[in-house]
Amino acid sequence: DQQVKQNSPSLSVQEGRISILNCDYTNSMFDYFLWYKKYPAEGPTFLISISSIKDKNEDGRFTVFLNKSAKHLSLHIVPSQPGDSAVYFCAASEGSGAGSYQLTFGKGTKLSVIP
Amino acid sequence: DSGVTQTPKHLITATGQRVTLRCSPRSGDLSVYWYQQSLDQGLQFLIQYYNGEERAKGNILERFSAQQFPDLHSELNLSSLELGDSALYFCASSVATGVGGYTFGSGTRLTVV
């Protein structure tokens, strides 16, 4: 049973345009969400996170939106750059403090930004 | 370089064998987490250690075991290997428990033939 779903295995976007990556979750206990970016032959690197008390968090070109009622989050990248081409993983956990430990990941979406 | 070191980077072994994957956490980090990424799968949580003690277990098979040593490095032992154990194994570390500060290593690619 997949608790975090990224239904688009891949996405292609023109340079300068907006990239929107989507993620759905089923576990109502999840209250902390993260996006990781992964280049080939490297480990995932943290990109941005959001707590369930917020519906939006912004960091430079990256914005994460959370719709708790729909159990849906999305990552917007504006403007997209060729260096953004990577696999993006959505992850979720029950809490983010000392008691939390486990991230549940989606399968990832491969983003290709075309120059 | 994330500061989390995993060795070896690649490992090819036969079914039935046993292997040990090693992880050195970032300096100052007390928690170590192990994740498995199989083909077309997201990362699956295996186990967490904090300052030498097991803190949490996920979907870890009984054939797999781990430990964290006094110098805080960790080893993941995989035994009686099967073809389906072929995967990327990632280690992550953080200062304390809690998912907010994960730093991942670059992984060990295990191929069982």
Side-chain angles (χ1 to χ4, degrees):
Chain A
D1 176 31
Q2 225 185 322
Q3 298 185 63
V4 177
K5 299 178 185 178
Q6 294 177 256
N7 292 320
S8 298
S10 62
L11 175 67
S12 288
V13 172
Q14 288 287 111
E15 180 179 4
R17 304 295 291 269
I18 183 171
S19 294
I20 299 176
L21 295 93
N22 293 303
C23 177
D24 297 295
Y25 62 96
T26 58
N27 187 339
S28 300
M29 299 300 292
F30 288 151
D31 60 3
Y32 188 67
F33 304 89
L34 309 90
W35 285 93
Y36 282 81
K37 175 177 172 179
K38 184 182 179 305
Y39 292 118
E42 294 183 13
T45 55
F46 171 75
L47 197 55
I48 193 169
S49 64
I50 188 167
S51 165
S52 62
I53 62 173
K54 293 185 167 184
D55 54 19
K56 176 183 173 181
N57 189 26
E58 193 171 352
D59 184 1
R61 296 185 297 113
F62 302 91
T63 303
V64 56
F65 295 91
L66 175 62
N67 182 333
K68 289 185 290 294
S69 60
K71 293 191 177 67
H72 177 83
L73 62 154
S74 60
L75 174 68
H76 293 209
I77 306 173
V78 184
S80 301
Q81 299 174 354
D84 296 329
S85 297
V87 177
Y88 289 79
F89 290 98
C90 172
S93 77
E94 298 177 28
S96 62
S100 66
Y101 53 86
Q102 175 181 355
L103 286 175
T104 300
F105 283 85
K107 292 186 179 181
T109 295
K110 183 176 182 179
L111 174 65
S112 300
V113 180
I114 304 161
Chain B
D1 182 9
S2 68
V4 178
T5 304
Q6 289 189 247
T7 57
K9 290 195 184 303
H10 303 277
L11 196 49
I12 302 175
T13 190
T15 55
Q17 295 298 304
R18 172 190 167 93
V19 297
T20 297
L21 312 183
R22 182 187 169 103
C23 170
S24 294
R26 226 173 29 159
S27 177
D29 285 359
L30 300 178
S31 274
V32 170
Y33 311 79
W34 286 96
Y35 281 80
Q36 177 194 54
Q37 185 185 15
S38 302
L39 190 64
D40 294 330
Q41 296 291 320
L43 286 79
Q44 303 282 326
F45 171 71
L46 295 179
I47 197 164
Q48 181 211 358
Y49 279 83
Y50 176 74
N51 204 20
E53 293 187 4
E54 182 185 304
R55 274 298 177 95
K57 261 186 175 179
N59 299 320
I60 188 166
L61 299 172
E62 285 193 12
R63 299 183 286 108
F64 296 0
S65 64
Q67 58 185 131
Q68 186 179 28
F69 294 86
D71 67 353
L72 300 177
H73 91 271
S74 177
E75 293 180 356
L76 179 66
N77 300 297
L78 316 176
S79 60
S80 303
L81 285 167
E82 302 175 359
L83 296 177
D85 296 328
S86 296
L88 265 169
Y89 291 85
F90 288 103
C91 166
S93 72
S94 64
V95 171
T97 57
V99 299
Y102 268 40
T103 300
F104 280 90
S106 57
T108 293
R109 180 173 292 280
L110 173 66
T111 303
V112 182
V113 297

